[in-house]
Amino acid sequence: MITSLLHPTPYTKIMVVTSHLDAMAEELGDFLTSYEGLIDFSLFPGDHQSLSTFHKIFTIKDYKSPAGGIPRDYAAVIVQDVLHLHESPQKFLQLIYRTLLNASEIIIIQKNGSMGVAEVEALLDQVEFRAINTMTDLIEGHEIIVGKKMHMWGNGL
C-alpha cells in the first residue's frame, strides 16, 4: 500500500511521524528489510501499539512541539494523522523539510476531511515542497498528499 510510494535504495532511512502507531509501521519495516533500511519514529500523543522494528523513537509531548529527527537524514518522512492536530502546521512542515535529504519526499496520510486538501497543498507549497500530488484511492478512507524537496529549489540547498 504505502510502500508503493517509496523508492528505497540500500540503507534507506525514513521517519514516521504519527499520532497512532499501527500496522503500517510493520508493513514499512518488512518492506525496508531487504534494503537494510532503518525507520525512526516520532510518536505524538495518541494510541500506539508496541513495535520491535525501529531505529530510534522520539516521544513528542504535545502538538506544539516539532517532530524528532536529524537534519538531512531521511529519504522520506511519513506524517500520519498529525498535521491537522498540530498547533502550527506551517512551522511543523518547515522543520520536517530540514530533516529530509535533497530530492526526498514527505508523505502526508490523513483521514478524509481531517484538513482540507487545498489547505495542505498550499502549506506544502509555502514551505517549498514541489511536485505536490494528492491521492484519494490508495488507502480507503484516507487522503494521501505527497510533496518533494527538490535540490537547488527554494530552500533545497
Side-chain angles (χ1 to χ4, degrees):
M1 294 267 248
I2 198 70
T3 56
S4 65
L5 299 176
L6 299 174
H7 312 285
T9 57
Y11 309 106
T12 291
K13 189 173 179 186
I14 67 168
M15 173 173 281
V16 175
V17 179
T18 185
S19 62
H20 59 280
L21 193 59
D22 59 14
M24 181 188 70
E26 245 180 89
E27 176 188 342
L28 289 168
D30 292 345
F31 176 72
L32 289 176
T33 298
S34 62
Y35 298 95
E36 297 184 48
L38 300 172
I39 304 174
D40 289 354
F41 294 97
S42 277
L43 302 180
F44 277 80
D47 185 27
H48 303 291
Q49 72 180 31
S50 62
L51 184 67
S52 59
T53 306
F54 65 89
H55 179 244
K56 291 182 185 171
I57 294 180
F58 302 95
T59 303
I60 312 303
K61 65 180 180 176
D62 57 34
Y63 287 97
K64 296 177 190 175
S65 302
I70 300 165
R72 295 182 184 241
D73 202 31
Y74 301 105
V77 173
I78 299 171
V79 178
Q80 181 184 24
D81 293 323
V82 169
L83 189 62
H84 70 286
L85 298 171
H86 204 276
E87 189 174 280
S88 180
Q90 184 173 1
K91 187 174 180 180
F92 172 81
L93 290 173
Q94 287 171 331
L95 295 172
I96 291 288
Y97 187 94
R98 292 181 190 154
T99 68
L100 287 166
L101 296 165
N102 283 326
S104 343
E105 297 171 326
I106 184 170
I107 301 168
I108 299 170
I109 303 169
Q110 63 182 18
K111 290 182 180 149
N112 288 344
S114 299
M115 188 173 193
V117 169
E119 182 181 0
V120 174
E121 290 174 343
L123 282 169
L124 288 170
D125 188 57
Q126 289 168 10
V127 178
E128 301 290 344
F129 283 101
R130 299 293 175 243
I132 300 165
N133 290 297
T134 300
M135 292 161 263
T136 57
D137 57 353
L138 190 61
I139 300 174
E140 188 175 331
H142 289 77
E143 300 157 335
I144 299 172
I145 303 142
V146 179
K148 192 161 190 80
K149 178 180 179 180
M150 305 290 276
H151 181 62
M152 300 300 288
W153 286 52
N155 297 317
L157 300 173

